[in-house]
Amino acid sequence: ELPVSRSRVGVVRGVHGEGVVGALLSRGLIEGRGEGEGGAILYGTTPYFLQRLGLDSLDDLPPLAPYLPDVDLLDEIAEAGRG
């Protein structure tokens, strides 16, 4: 599991990530996991997230990569959103 920033969530979803991150935090499904590049807070899932989805681990989730653009493109989009 890799922690993710709000801007990365926004890039993956195609919209600003503030609302969804706030909702996930308030429901106890994600938590802060430290600080990333540029001081961005990084988030990761909680054990409650796994429990609510009926999973033993994040490895039980289906692969997301086939639905995402190339990681370099995601980085470019995230950087453009900061400027």
Side-chain angles (χ1 to χ4, degrees):
E1 161 198 356
L2 295 174
V4 64
S5 68
R6 284 180 196 242
S7 64
R8 183 58 63 103
V9 170
V11 169
V12 170
R13 292 187 69 236
V15 296
H16 195 53
E18 289 290 322
V20 71
V21 170
L24 293 170
L25 281 168
S26 71
R27 290 174 173 87
L29 298 170
I30 63 171
E31 62 190 2
R33 293 281 173 87
E35 219 174 85
E37 196 173 305
I41 298 172
L42 299 176
Y43 298 94
T45 58
T46 63
Y48 182 61
F49 172 89
L50 294 174
Q51 177 189 349
R52 292 292 297 170
L53 292 178
L55 302 172
D56 292 323
S57 79
L58 292 177
D59 293 332
D60 296 336
L61 288 169
L64 182 60
Y67 305 102
L68 296 176
D70 179 65
V71 71
D72 292 331
L73 178 60
L74 290 176
D75 288 337
E76 288 176 28
I77 294 169
E79 285 297 320
R82 292 183 197 140

